[in-house]
Every structure is written in structure tokens, then in C-alpha cells.
Coordinates of all heavy atoms in Angstrom, one line a residue:
M1 N 26.6 -63.9 -33.5 CA 27.6 -64.4 -34.3 C 27.9 -63.5 -35.5 O 29.1 -63.3 -35.8 CB 27.2 -65.8 -34.8 CG 28.3 -66.5 -35.6 SD 27.8 -68.2 -35.9 CE 28.8 -68.6 -37.2
L2 N 26.9 -63.0 -36.1 CA 27.0 -62.1 -37.2 C 27.8 -60.8 -36.8 O 28.6 -60.3 -37.5 CB 25.7 -61.7 -37.9 CG 25.7 -60.7 -39.0 CD1 26.5 -61.3 -40.2 CD2 24.3 -60.4 -39.5
I3 N 27.4 -60.3 -35.6 CA 28.0 -59.1 -35.1 C 29.5 -59.3 -34.8 O 30.4 -58.5 -35.1 CB 27.3 -58.6 -33.8 CG1 25.9 -58.2 -34.2 CG2 28.1 -57.5 -33.2 CD1 25.0 -57.8 -33.0
G4 N 29.9 -60.5 -34.3 CA 31.3 -60.8 -34.0 C 32.0 -60.9 -35.3 O 33.2 -60.5 -35.4
W5 N 31.4 -61.5 -36.4 CA 32.1 -61.6 -37.7 C 32.3 -60.2 -38.3 O 33.4 -59.9 -38.8 CB 31.2 -62.4 -38.5 CG 31.7 -62.7 -39.9 CD1 32.8 -63.5 -40.2 CD2 31.3 -62.1 -41.1 NE1 33.0 -63.5 -41.6 CE2 32.1 -62.6 -42.2 CE3 30.3 -61.3 -41.5 CZ2 31.9 -62.3 -43.5 CZ3 30.1 -60.9 -42.8 CH2 30.9 -61.4 -43.8
L6 N 31.3 -59.3 -38.2 CA 31.5 -57.9 -38.7 C 32.6 -57.2 -37.9 O 33.4 -56.5 -38.5 CB 30.2 -57.2 -38.6 CG 29.1 -57.6 -39.6 CD1 27.8 -56.9 -39.4 CD2 29.6 -57.4 -41.0
I7 N 32.7 -57.3 -36.6 CA 33.7 -56.7 -35.8 C 35.1 -57.2 -36.2 O 36.0 -56.5 -36.3 CB 33.4 -56.9 -34.3 CG1 32.2 -56.1 -33.9 CG2 34.6 -56.5 -33.5 CD1 31.7 -56.3 -32.5
G8 N 35.2 -58.5 -36.5 CA 36.4 -59.1 -36.9 C 36.9 -58.5 -38.2 O 38.1 -58.2 -38.4
I9 N 36.0 -58.4 -39.2 CA 36.3 -57.9 -40.5 C 36.7 -56.4 -40.4 O 37.7 -56.0 -41.0 CB 35.1 -58.0 -41.5 CG1 35.0 -59.5 -41.8 CG2 35.4 -57.2 -42.7 CD1 33.8 -59.8 -42.7
L10 N 36.0 -55.6 -39.6 CA 36.4 -54.2 -39.4 C 37.7 -54.1 -38.8 O 38.5 -53.2 -39.2 CB 35.3 -53.5 -38.6 CG 34.0 -53.2 -39.3 CD1 33.0 -52.6 -38.3 CD2 34.2 -52.3 -40.5
G11 N 38.1 -54.9 -37.8 CA 39.4 -54.9 -37.2 C 40.5 -55.2 -38.2 O 41.6 -54.6 -38.2
T12 N 40.2 -56.2 -39.1 CA 41.2 -56.5 -40.1 C 41.4 -55.4 -41.1 O 42.5 -55.1 -41.5 CB 40.8 -57.8 -40.8 OG1 40.5 -58.8 -39.9 CG2 41.8 -58.3 -41.8
V13 N 40.3 -54.8 -41.5 CA 40.4 -53.7 -42.5 C 41.2 -52.5 -41.9 O 42.0 -51.9 -42.5 CB 39.0 -53.3 -43.0 CG1 39.1 -52.0 -43.8 CG2 38.4 -54.4 -43.8
R14 N 40.9 -52.2 -40.6 CA 41.6 -51.1 -40.0 C 43.1 -51.4 -39.7 O 43.9 -50.5 -39.7 CB 40.9 -50.7 -38.7 CG 39.6 -50.1 -38.8 CD 39.0 -49.7 -37.5 NE 37.7 -49.2 -37.7 CZ 36.9 -48.8 -36.7 NH1 37.3 -49.0 -35.4 NH2 35.7 -48.4 -36.9
A15 N 43.4 -52.6 -39.6 CA 44.8 -53.0 -39.3 C 45.7 -52.8 -40.5 O 46.9 -52.6 -40.4 CB 44.9 -54.4 -38.8
Q16 N 45.1 -52.9 -41.7 CA 45.9 -52.8 -42.9 C 46.1 -51.3 -43.2 O 45.2 -50.5 -43.2 CB 45.2 -53.4 -44.1 CG 44.9 -54.9 -44.0 CD 44.1 -55.4 -45.1 OE1 43.6 -54.7 -45.9 NE2 43.9 -56.7 -45.1
S17 N 47.4 -51.0 -43.5 CA 47.7 -49.6 -43.9 C 48.1 -49.6 -45.4 O 49.2 -50.0 -45.7 CB 48.7 -49.0 -43.0 OG 50.0 -49.5 -43.3
I18 N 47.2 -49.1 -46.2 CA 47.5 -49.1 -47.7 C 47.6 -47.6 -48.0 O 46.7 -46.8 -47.8 CB 46.3 -49.7 -48.5 CG1 46.1 -51.1 -48.1 CG2 46.5 -49.5 -49.9 CD1 44.8 -51.7 -48.6
P19 N 48.8 -47.2 -48.5 CA 49.0 -45.8 -48.8 C 48.1 -45.4 -50.0 O 48.1 -46.1 -51.0 CB 50.5 -45.7 -49.2 CG 50.9 -47.1 -49.5 CD 50.0 -48.0 -48.7
V20 N 47.4 -44.3 -49.9 CA 46.6 -43.9 -51.0 C 47.4 -43.2 -52.1 O 47.3 -43.4 -53.2 CB 45.4 -43.0 -50.5 CG1 44.6 -42.4 -51.6 CG2 44.6 -43.7 -49.5
L21 N 48.3 -42.3 -51.6 CA 49.2 -41.6 -52.5 C 50.6 -41.9 -52.1 O 51.0 -41.9 -51.0 CB 49.0 -40.1 -52.4 CG 47.6 -39.5 -52.7 CD1 47.5 -38.1 -52.4 CD2 47.3 -39.8 -54.2
D22 N 51.4 -42.2 -53.1 CA 52.9 -42.4 -52.9 C 53.7 -41.2 -53.4 O 53.8 -41.0 -54.6 CB 53.3 -43.7 -53.7 CG 54.7 -44.1 -53.4 OD1 55.3 -43.5 -52.6 OD2 55.1 -45.1 -53.9
P23 N 54.2 -40.4 -52.5 CA 54.9 -39.2 -52.9 C 56.1 -39.5 -53.7 O 56.5 -38.6 -54.5 CB 55.3 -38.5 -51.6 CG 54.4 -39.1 -50.6 CD 54.0 -40.5 -51.1
S24 N 56.7 -40.6 -53.6 CA 57.9 -40.9 -54.4 C 57.6 -41.1 -55.9 O 58.5 -41.0 -56.7 CB 58.6 -42.2 -53.8 OG 57.8 -43.3 -54.0
K25 N 56.4 -41.4 -56.2 CA 56.0 -41.6 -57.6 C 55.3 -40.4 -58.2 O 54.7 -40.4 -59.3 CB 55.1 -42.8 -57.7 CG 55.8 -44.1 -57.4 CD 54.9 -45.3 -57.6 CE 55.6 -46.5 -57.2 NZ 54.8 -47.7 -57.2
S26 N 55.4 -39.2 -57.5 CA 54.7 -38.0 -58.0 C 55.4 -37.5 -59.2 O 56.6 -37.6 -59.4 CB 54.6 -37.0 -56.9 OG 55.9 -36.5 -56.6
V27 N 54.7 -36.8 -60.1 CA 55.2 -36.2 -61.3 C 54.9 -34.7 -61.3 O 53.8 -34.3 -60.9 CB 54.6 -36.9 -62.6 CG1 55.1 -36.3 -63.9 CG2 54.8 -38.4 -62.5
D28 N 55.8 -33.9 -61.8 CA 55.6 -32.5 -61.9 C 54.5 -32.2 -62.9 O 54.6 -32.5 -64.1 CB 56.8 -31.8 -62.3 CG 56.7 -30.3 -62.4 OD1 55.7 -29.7 -61.8 OD2 57.5 -29.6 -63.1
T29 N 53.4 -31.7 -62.4 CA 52.2 -31.3 -63.3 C 52.0 -29.8 -63.3 O 50.9 -29.3 -63.5 CB 50.9 -32.0 -62.9 OG1 50.7 -31.7 -61.5 CG2 51.1 -33.5 -63.0
G30 N 53.1 -29.1 -63.1 CA 53.0 -27.6 -63.1 C 52.7 -27.2 -64.5 O 52.9 -27.9 -65.5
F31 N 52.2 -25.9 -64.7 CA 51.8 -25.4 -65.9 C 53.0 -25.4 -66.9 O 52.8 -25.7 -68.1 CB 51.3 -23.9 -65.7 CG 50.6 -23.3 -66.9 CD1 49.3 -23.7 -67.2 CD2 51.3 -22.4 -67.7 CE1 48.7 -23.2 -68.3 CE2 50.6 -21.9 -68.8 CZ 49.3 -22.3 -69.1
S32 N 54.2 -25.1 -66.5 CA 55.3 -25.0 -67.4 C 55.8 -26.4 -67.8 O 56.4 -26.5 -68.9 CB 56.5 -24.3 -66.7 OG 56.9 -25.0 -65.5
S33 N 55.5 -27.4 -67.1 CA 55.8 -28.8 -67.5 C 54.9 -29.3 -68.6 O 55.2 -30.3 -69.3 CB 55.9 -29.7 -66.3 OG 54.6 -30.0 -65.8
I34 N 53.7 -28.7 -68.7 CA 52.7 -29.2 -69.7 C 52.8 -28.4 -71.0 O 52.7 -28.9 -72.0 CB 51.3 -29.1 -69.1 CG1 51.2 -30.0 -67.8 CG2 50.2 -29.5 -70.1 CD1 49.9 -29.9 -67.1
F35 N 52.9 -27.1 -70.8 CA 52.9 -26.2 -72.0 C 54.3 -25.6 -72.2 O 54.9 -25.2 -71.2 CB 51.9 -25.1 -71.8 CG 50.5 -25.6 -71.7 CD1 49.9 -25.6 -70.5 CD2 49.8 -26.0 -72.8 CE1 48.6 -26.1 -70.3 CE2 48.5 -26.5 -72.7 CZ 47.9 -26.5 -71.5
G36 N 54.7 -25.5 -73.4 CA 56.0 -24.9 -73.7 C 56.0 -23.4 -73.7 O 56.9 -22.8 -73.2
E37 N 55.0 -22.8 -74.3 CA 54.9 -21.4 -74.3 C 53.4 -21.0 -74.3 O 52.5 -21.8 -74.7 CB 55.6 -20.8 -75.5 CG 54.9 -21.1 -76.9 CD 55.6 -20.5 -78.0 OE1 56.8 -20.8 -78.2 OE2 55.0 -19.6 -78.7
I38 N 53.2 -19.7 -74.0 CA 51.8 -19.2 -73.9 C 51.8 -18.0 -74.8 O 52.6 -17.2 -74.8 CB 51.4 -18.8 -72.5 CG1 51.5 -19.9 -71.6 CG2 50.1 -18.1 -72.5 CD1 51.4 -19.5 -70.1
E39 N 50.7 -17.9 -75.7 CA 50.5 -16.8 -76.5 C 49.1 -16.3 -76.2 O 48.1 -17.0 -76.4 CB 50.7 -17.2 -78.0 CG 50.5 -16.0 -78.9 CD 50.7 -16.4 -80.4 OE1 51.0 -17.6 -80.6 OE2 50.4 -15.5 -81.2
I40 N 49.0 -15.0 -75.9 CA 47.7 -14.4 -75.6 C 47.2 -13.7 -76.9 O 48.0 -12.8 -77.4 CB 47.7 -13.5 -74.4 CG1 48.1 -14.3 -73.1 CG2 46.4 -12.7 -74.2 CD1 48.3 -13.4 -71.9
I41 N 46.1 -14.0 -77.4 CA 45.5 -13.4 -78.6 C 44.2 -12.7 -78.2 O 43.2 -13.4 -77.9 CB 45.3 -14.4 -79.7 CG1 46.5 -15.2 -80.0 CG2 44.6 -13.8 -80.9 CD1 46.3 -16.3 -80.9
P42 N 44.2 -11.4 -78.1 CA 43.0 -10.7 -77.7 C 42.0 -10.8 -78.9 O 42.3 -10.4 -80.0 CB 43.4 -9.2 -77.5 CG 44.8 -9.1 -78.1 CD 45.3 -10.5 -78.2
L43 N 40.8 -11.3 -78.7 CA 39.8 -11.5 -79.7 C 39.1 -10.2 -80.0 O 38.9 -9.3 -79.1 CB 38.8 -12.6 -79.3 CG 39.4 -13.9 -79.0 CD1 38.3 -14.9 -78.6 CD2 40.1 -14.5 -80.3
E44 N 38.7 -10.0 -81.2 CA 37.9 -8.8 -81.6 C 36.6 -8.8 -80.8 O 35.9 -9.8 -80.6 CB 37.6 -8.9 -83.1 CG 36.7 -7.8 -83.6 CD 36.3 -7.9 -85.0 OE1 36.9 -8.7 -85.8 OE2 35.3 -7.3 -85.4
T45 N 36.3 -7.6 -80.2 CA 35.1 -7.5 -79.5 C 34.2 -6.5 -80.1 O 34.6 -5.3 -80.3 CB 35.4 -7.1 -78.0 OG1 36.2 -5.9 -78.0 CG2 36.1 -8.2 -77.3
N46 N 33.0 -6.9 -80.4 CA 31.9 -6.0 -80.8 C 30.6 -6.7 -80.4 O 30.6 -7.7 -79.8 CB 32.0 -5.7 -82.3 CG 31.9 -7.0 -83.2 OD1 31.2 -7.9 -82.8 ND2 32.7 -7.1 -84.2
R47 N 29.5 -6.1 -80.7 CA 28.2 -6.6 -80.2 C 28.0 -8.1 -80.7 O 27.4 -8.9 -80.0 CB 27.0 -5.7 -80.7 CG 27.0 -4.5 -79.9 CD 25.7 -3.7 -80.3 NE 25.3 -2.9 -79.1 CZ 24.2 -3.1 -78.4 NH1 23.3 -3.9 -78.8 NH2 24.0 -2.4 -77.4
A48 N 28.4 -8.4 -81.9 CA 28.1 -9.7 -82.5 C 29.1 -10.7 -82.0 O 28.8 -11.9 -82.0 CB 28.2 -9.6 -84.0
S49 N 30.3 -10.3 -81.5 CA 31.3 -11.3 -81.1 C 31.4 -11.5 -79.6 O 32.3 -12.2 -79.2 CB 32.7 -10.9 -81.7 OG 33.1 -9.7 -81.0
V50 N 30.5 -10.9 -78.8 CA 30.6 -11.1 -77.4 C 30.0 -12.5 -77.0 O 28.9 -12.9 -77.6 CB 29.8 -10.0 -76.6 CG1 29.8 -10.2 -75.2 CG2 30.5 -8.7 -76.9
F51 N 30.7 -13.2 -76.2 CA 30.1 -14.5 -75.8 C 30.1 -14.6 -74.3 O 30.8 -13.9 -73.6 CB 30.9 -15.7 -76.4 CG 32.4 -15.6 -76.2 CD1 33.0 -16.2 -75.1 CD2 33.2 -15.0 -77.1 CE1 34.4 -16.1 -74.9 CE2 34.6 -14.9 -76.9 CZ 35.2 -15.5 -75.8
G52 N 29.4 -15.6 -73.7 CA 29.2 -15.8 -72.3 C 30.0 -17.0 -71.8 O 31.2 -16.9 -71.5
I53 N 29.4 -18.1 -71.7 CA 30.0 -19.3 -71.1 C 30.5 -20.2 -72.3 O 29.7 -20.6 -73.1 CB 28.9 -20.1 -70.3 CG1 28.5 -19.2 -69.1 CG2 29.5 -21.4 -69.8 CD1 27.3 -19.8 -68.4
V54 N 31.8 -20.4 -72.3 CA 32.4 -21.3 -73.4 C 32.2 -22.7 -73.0 O 32.7 -23.2 -72.0 CB 33.9 -20.9 -73.5 CG1 34.5 -21.9 -74.6 CG2 34.1 -19.5 -73.9
K55 N 31.4 -23.4 -73.8 CA 31.2 -24.9 -73.6 C 32.4 -25.6 -74.2 O 32.9 -26.6 -73.6 CB 29.9 -25.3 -74.2 CG 29.7 -26.8 -74.1 CD 28.3 -27.2 -74.6 CE 28.1 -28.7 -74.3 NZ 26.8 -29.2 -74.8
Q56 N 32.8 -25.2 -75.4 CA 33.9 -25.9 -76.0 C 34.7 -24.9 -76.9 O 34.1 -24.0 -77.5 CB 33.4 -27.1 -76.9 CG 34.5 -28.0 -77.4 CD 33.9 -29.2 -78.0 OE1 32.7 -29.4 -78.1 NE2 34.7 -30.1 -78.5
L57 N 36.0 -25.1 -76.9 CA 36.9 -24.3 -77.8 C 37.6 -25.2 -78.7 O 38.3 -26.2 -78.3 CB 37.9 -23.5 -76.9 CG 39.0 -22.8 -77.7 CD1 38.5 -21.7 -78.6 CD2 40.1 -22.3 -76.8
L58 N 37.4 -25.0 -80.0 CA 38.0 -25.8 -81.1 C 39.1 -24.9 -81.8 O 38.8 -23.8 -82.1 CB 37.0 -26.3 -82.1 CG 35.9 -27.1 -81.5 CD1 34.8 -27.4 -82.5 CD2 36.4 -28.5 -81.0
V59 N 40.3 -25.5 -81.9 CA 41.3 -24.7 -82.6 C 41.7 -25.5 -83.8 O 42.1 -26.6 -83.8 CB 42.6 -24.5 -81.7 CG1 43.7 -23.8 -82.4 CG2 42.2 -23.9 -80.4
T60 N 41.6 -24.8 -85.0 CA 42.0 -25.4 -86.3 C 43.2 -24.7 -86.8 O 43.7 -23.8 -86.2 CB 40.8 -25.3 -87.3 OG1 40.6 -24.0 -87.6 CG2 39.5 -25.9 -86.7
D61 N 43.6 -25.0 -88.0 CA 44.8 -24.4 -88.6 C 44.4 -22.9 -88.9 O 45.3 -22.1 -89.0 CB 45.2 -25.1 -89.9 CG 45.8 -26.4 -89.6 OD1 46.3 -26.6 -88.4 OD2 45.8 -27.3 -90.4
N62 N 43.2 -22.6 -89.2 CA 42.8 -21.3 -89.7 C 42.0 -20.5 -88.7 O 42.0 -19.2 -88.8 CB 41.9 -21.4 -90.9 CG 42.6 -22.1 -92.1 OD1 43.9 -22.2 -92.1 ND2 41.9 -22.7 -93.0
C63 N 41.4 -21.1 -87.7 CA 40.5 -20.3 -86.8 C 40.3 -20.9 -85.5 O 40.6 -22.1 -85.2 CB 39.2 -20.0 -87.5 SG 38.2 -21.5 -87.8
F64 N 39.7 -20.1 -84.6 CA 39.2 -20.5 -83.3 C 37.7 -20.6 -83.4 O 37.1 -19.7 -83.9 CB 39.6 -19.5 -82.2 CG 41.1 -19.3 -82.1 CD1 41.6 -18.1 -82.6 CD2 41.9 -20.2 -81.4 CE1 43.0 -17.9 -82.4 CE2 43.2 -20.0 -81.3 CZ 43.8 -18.8 -81.8
I65 N 37.1 -21.7 -82.9 CA 35.7 -21.9 -82.9 C 35.2 -22.0 -81.5 O 35.7 -22.9 -80.8 CB 35.2 -23.1 -83.8 CG1 35.8 -23.0 -85.2 CG2 33.7 -23.3 -83.8 CD1 35.7 -24.3 -86.0
I66 N 34.3 -21.1 -81.1 CA 33.8 -21.1 -79.7 C 32.4 -21.5 -79.7 O 31.5 -20.9 -80.4 CB 34.0 -19.7 -79.1 CG1 35.5 -19.4 -79.0 CG2 33.4 -19.7 -77.7 CD1 35.8 -18.0 -78.6
L67 N 32.0 -22.6 -78.9 CA 30.6 -22.9 -78.7 C 30.2 -22.3 -77.4 O 30.7 -22.6 -76.3 CB 30.5 -24.5 -78.7 CG 31.1 -25.2 -79.9 CD1 31.0 -26.7 -79.7 CD2 30.4 -24.8 -81.1
D68 N 29.2 -21.4 -77.5 CA 28.7 -20.7 -76.3 C 27.4 -21.2 -75.9 O 26.4 -21.1 -76.6 CB 28.7 -19.2 -76.7 CG 28.2 -18.3 -75.6 OD1 28.2 -18.7 -74.4 OD2 27.9 -17.1 -75.9
T69 N 27.3 -21.6 -74.6 CA 26.0 -22.1 -74.1 C 25.2 -21.0 -73.6 O 24.0 -21.1 -73.5 CB 26.2 -23.2 -73.0 OG1 27.0 -22.6 -72.0 CG2 26.9 -24.4 -73.5
D70 N 25.8 -19.9 -73.3 CA 25.0 -18.8 -72.7 C 24.1 -18.1 -73.7 O 23.0 -17.8 -73.5 CB 26.0 -17.7 -72.1 CG 25.4 -16.7 -71.2 OD1 24.3 -17.1 -70.6 OD2 25.9 -15.6 -71.1
T71 N 24.7 -17.9 -74.9 CA 23.9 -17.3 -76.0 C 23.5 -18.3 -77.1 O 22.9 -17.8 -78.1 CB 24.7 -16.1 -76.6 OG1 25.9 -16.7 -77.2 CG2 25.1 -15.1 -75.7
D72 N 23.8 -19.6 -76.9 CA 23.5 -20.6 -77.9 C 24.0 -20.2 -79.3 O 23.3 -20.2 -80.3 CB 22.0 -20.8 -78.1 CG 21.4 -21.5 -76.8 OD1 22.2 -22.3 -76.2 OD2 20.3 -21.3 -76.5
A73 N 25.3 -19.8 -79.3 CA 25.9 -19.4 -80.5 C 27.2 -20.1 -80.8 O 27.8 -20.7 -79.9 CB 26.3 -17.9 -80.4
I74 N 27.6 -20.1 -82.1 CA 28.9 -20.7 -82.5 C 29.6 -19.5 -83.1 O 29.2 -18.9 -84.1 CB 28.7 -21.8 -83.5 CG1 27.9 -22.9 -82.9 CG2 30.1 -22.3 -84.0 CD1 27.6 -24.0 -83.9
L75 N 30.8 -19.2 -82.5 CA 31.6 -18.0 -83.0 C 32.8 -18.4 -83.6 O 33.5 -19.3 -83.2 CB 31.9 -17.1 -81.8 CG 30.6 -16.7 -81.0 CD1 31.1 -16.1 -79.6 CD2 29.9 -15.6 -81.7
F76 N 33.2 -17.8 -84.7 CA 34.4 -18.1 -85.5 C 35.3 -16.9 -85.4 O 34.9 -15.8 -85.8 CB 34.1 -18.4 -87.0 CG 33.4 -19.7 -87.1 CD1 32.0 -19.7 -87.0 CD2 34.0 -20.9 -87.4 CE1 31.3 -20.9 -87.2 CE2 33.3 -22.1 -87.6 CZ 32.0 -22.1 -87.5
F77 N 36.6 -17.1 -85.0 CA 37.6 -16.1 -85.0 C 38.8 -16.6 -85.9 O 39.2 -17.7 -85.7 CB 38.1 -15.7 -83.6 CG 37.0 -15.1 -82.8 CD1 36.2 -15.8 -82.0 CD2 36.9 -13.7 -82.7 CE1 35.2 -15.3 -81.2 CE2 35.9 -13.1 -81.9 CZ 35.1 -13.9 -81.1
D78 N 39.3 -15.7 -86.7 CA 40.5 -16.2 -87.5 C 41.7 -16.1 -86.6 O 41.7 -15.6 -85.5 CB 40.7 -15.4 -88.8 CG 40.9 -13.9 -88.6 OD1 41.3 -13.5 -87.4 OD2 40.7 -13.1 -89.5
K79 N 42.9 -16.6 -87.1 CA 44.1 -16.6 -86.3 C 44.6 -15.2 -85.9 O 45.4 -15.1 -85.0 CB 45.2 -17.4 -87.0 CG 44.9 -18.9 -87.0 CD 45.1 -19.5 -85.7 CE 44.9 -21.0 -85.7 NZ 45.4 -21.7 -84.6
K80 N 44.1 -14.2 -86.6 CA 44.5 -12.8 -86.3 C 43.5 -12.2 -85.3 O 43.5 -11.0 -85.1 CB 44.7 -12.0 -87.5 CG 45.9 -12.5 -88.4 CD 46.0 -11.6 -89.6 CE 47.2 -12.2 -90.4 NZ 47.4 -11.4 -91.7
A81 N 42.6 -13.0 -84.8 CA 41.6 -12.7 -83.8 C 40.4 -11.9 -84.4 O 39.6 -11.3 -83.6 CB 42.2 -11.9 -82.6
G82 N 40.3 -11.8 -85.7 CA 39.2 -11.1 -86.3 C 37.9 -12.0 -86.2 O 38.0 -13.2 -86.4
F83 N 36.8 -11.4 -86.0 CA 35.5 -12.1 -86.0 C 35.0 -12.4 -87.3 O 35.0 -11.6 -88.2 CB 34.5 -11.3 -85.2 CG 33.2 -11.9 -85.0 CD1 33.0 -13.1 -84.2 CD2 32.0 -11.4 -85.6 CE1 31.8 -13.7 -84.1 CE2 30.8 -12.0 -85.4 CZ 30.7 -13.1 -84.7

């Protein structure tokens, strides 16, 4: 009896077609739709300012703060990319 009940439930579940994604409700998530412009700022590189894996990047009005898990360091760069 339990087996018959499980087979009945599986048949009911398979008979229902629920769309997982609805293409008519998709939204453009391209890079240009999220960001208005891109500015590349080459950071100063010297022995003291080299970093490995960026755990977090904080951007303030005055500087960029990089938390580096590779070297366990916190690096500060000003808006003109100076270390």
C-alpha cells in the first residue's frame, strides 16, 4: 500500500509542469546596464604595495582600501593611485 501511494505521488509530481525560468520576465543584466562608465586606475607598484588575493575592496571619498588575505595586509591607495 505504501509503495502504491509513493508511485501515485511521483506520478502527480511528474505530471505538473512548473516553469523554472520565465524568459518573458528576464531583465538585461549586461555590464553596460549595471555600470554607466568604467575608469581604470593603475595602482602604484613597489615592494610594499604588491598584494595577492583581494578579500575586500573598500572605496571611500579619499582612497581605496584593499584587504589582502594572501599577505594578511591592509593597503591604502589614494585616488591618484599612490600607495
